[in-house]
Amino acid sequence: MKSKLPVAVLGATGPVGQKVITLLQDHPKFYVAEVAASEASARQVYGERVQWKNEIELPRDIAKMKIKRLNSIKSHYVISALPADIAKEIEPEFAKRGHIVCSNASAFRMHKDVPLMIPEVNSDHLSLLKKQNTEGKILCNPNCSTVFLAGPLAILKEIEDIEHVSVVTMQAVSGAGYPGVPSLDILGNLIPHISGEEEKICKETKKILGGPGNPLDCGITVHVHRVPIAHGHTVAAHVQFKNKVSQTQVMKALKQAEAKYKDFIKVHTADDRPQPLRDLNPADMRIHVGRIKQGDRSDTVGFIALGHNLVRGAAGAAIGILETYLKKR
Ligand code: NAP
């Protein structure tokens, strides 16, 4: 344990905080040293307070930990899984006190000096950290659906400039936290609205795909849906390029990205894949891309992307950003 770096998890009792804990079990570089949650949970024993909803058993050492108040956290490295309104107040205080905060919350994603990162796509945005005038720093991971759109688009925009992207999402219920969407609203149903989500996907995607402080200039139109799936957000995207692009070029570029990075892109060629139930594992960092097809016009190509909203879309993303920060700072 001594050779690993201690990490504090803020919002440790929520679905994202729990996933951070599971992903840091046996992690080669980090271990969970402290857990924090709301005042209602503070000073209670984690294993007695948490409603543990994970595929793996709650690790015994974590179960025995006392939940801390936010202001008593000591670890230099912090992964925040706080609600956005709380993060807005708390994360700058942590940065002032010298902590490195990797945040899942939306509070600072669009702040001009905060890197909004997918490590395989835009680690050059770490340069924005120099503009933060606090001893500590805030880094953010994107909205969970944004990742599954922006990841493939980052590869496609290298083939040809993007004119416009039409996007439809189908988002799992665990994306709404716990207990999240009432069962009577979602069972056997589909809700074509998630408050604020369409704007987030649109703005965040452009920030990620552009240079640091210089968002990509393209059109993005999004419709989101909450669907009765436990985990796994699916994104259907039709990309209109400025010039002709073929399905074959897109397939080739995605395959190259699949080969280049570990756990970034997984290309599917079967007609009925990717599927949340068949293709996602509980620690899945891959963006599963399939159904790549030429549109009605020679400048348009469509694809389906699927990812684990709590892993690549949240907890795993924040851990990946912390790893990248330590490597490249
Ligand atoms: P959640 O279910 O609402 O959990 C929130 C956590 O924050 C709980 O541990 C809660 O502790 C704690 N908390 C609430 N109020 C607090 C306060 N005043 N002070 C300190 N701690 C407080 O949320 P989640 O789904 O795990 O998501 C966490 C964050 O990640 C959110 O900002 C969310 O938007 C973002 N995010 C979520 C997903 C996803 O797929 N779920 C994906 C990407 C990003 P108590 O148990 O004590 O209330």
Side-chain angles (χ1 to χ4, degrees):
M1 202 74 106
K2 284 252 162 62
S3 60
K4 296 190 188 184
L5 296 171
V7 168
V9 184
L10 315 184
T13 51
V16 175
Q18 291 185 33
K19 192 55 96 173
V20 174
I21 289 168
T22 65
L23 296 177
L24 289 184
Q25 268 309 102
D26 306 321
H27 192 279
K29 297 191 188 101
F30 311 121
Y31 71 96
V32 177
E34 297 171 291
V35 290
S38 72
E39 281 298 317
S41 301
R43 292 174 296 279
Q44 299 193 46
V45 176
Y46 185 81
E48 291 168 11
R49 173 71 180 177
V50 71
Q51 299 203 49
W52 187 253
K53 300 286 174 195
N54 266 274
E55 290 83 358
I56 66 158
E57 241 178 78
L58 172 58
R60 274 202 212 152
D61 53 333
I62 307 288
K64 285 191 239 155
M65 282 183 174
K66 277 263 172 71
I67 300 175
K68 294 195 169 175
R69 301 177 67 194
L70 294 174
N71 62 9
S72 64
I73 290 296
K74 300 271 182 299
S75 307
H76 183 55
Y77 299 107
V78 169
I79 293 186
S80 166
L82 294 170
D85 55 335
I86 310 298
K88 196 168 183 181
E89 286 173 29
I90 296 298
E91 291 175 358
E93 286 180 23
F94 270 83
K96 265 188 218 152
R97 299 206 309 259
H99 298 270
I100 303 301
V101 181
C102 293
S103 179
N104 286 282
S106 60
F108 294 101
R109 285 181 196 149
M110 290 309 297
H111 189 289
K112 63 181 180 35
D113 300 339
V114 171
L116 177 64
M117 279 176 56
I118 302 175
E120 296 86 343
V121 170
N122 65 340
S123 59
D124 58 326
H125 286 211
L126 282 172
S127 63
L128 292 172
L129 291 176
K130 285 197 263 337
K131 297 185 175 180
Q132 294 185 25
N133 59 5
T134 44
E135 195 192 329
K137 304 290 170 203
I138 299 174
L139 303 91
C140 289
N141 56 257
N143 163 281
C144 36
S145 289
T146 303
V147 186
F148 309 129
L149 175 68
L153 287 184
I155 298 158
L156 270 51
K157 84 175 179 44
E158 297 305 314
I159 304 173
E160 173 57 50
D161 289 343
I162 293 171
E163 180 72 33
H164 183 264
V165 192
S166 292
V167 185
V168 173
T169 73
M170 290 143 276
Q171 304 186 205
V173 285
S174 63
Y178 187 81
V181 190
S183 53
L184 277 181
D185 286 343
I186 195 69
L187 281 176
N189 200 13
L190 176 153
I191 303 169
H193 175 69
I194 302 169
S195 181
E197 193 83 350
E198 290 167 355
E199 293 77 7
K200 283 182 199 162
I201 295 170
C202 197
K203 286 188 188 155
E204 292 180 17
T205 301
K206 292 179 190 180
K207 178 171 177 176
I208 293 162
L209 296 181
N214 182 24
L216 187 73
D217 180 17
C218 73
I220 303 181
T221 308
V222 188
H223 268 93
V224 296
H225 303 83
R226 187 72 72 195
V227 295
I229 302 251
H231 307 301
H233 291 357
T234 298
V235 172
H238 293 158
V239 187
Q240 189 196 340
F241 296 91
K242 293 216 164 128
N243 288 297
K244 284 183 186 180
V245 170
S246 71
Q247 168 187 357
T248 314
Q249 283 174 287
V250 168
M251 178 62 92
K252 188 175 164 207
L254 289 167
K255 285 263 187 200
Q256 279 169 350
E258 182 180 42
K260 181 172 174 189
Y261 298 105
K262 184 180 172 282
D263 290 343
F264 176 40
I265 297 288
K266 163 78 185 156
V267 178
H268 294 259
T269 50
D271 284 345
D272 61 350
R273 303 302 258 274
Q275 296 180 17
L277 200 61
R278 307 264 172 266
D279 295 310
L280 288 186
N281 70 57
D284 206 334
M285 281 294 279
R286 299 166 299 173
I287 303 171
H288 296 258
V289 187
R291 299 293 325 282
I292 298 149
K293 66 173 186 184
Q294 195 78 47
D296 212 16
R297 296 163 37 150
S298 58
D299 62 358
T300 307
V301 176
F303 66 85
I304 299 288
L306 160 74
H308 200 307
N309 51 295
L310 293 175
V311 186
R312 174 58 88 161
I319 295 168
I321 288 168
L322 181 54
E323 286 171 338
T324 307
Y325 167 81
L326 289 169
K327 227 183 279 167
K328 302 206 166 183
R329 70 190 151 152

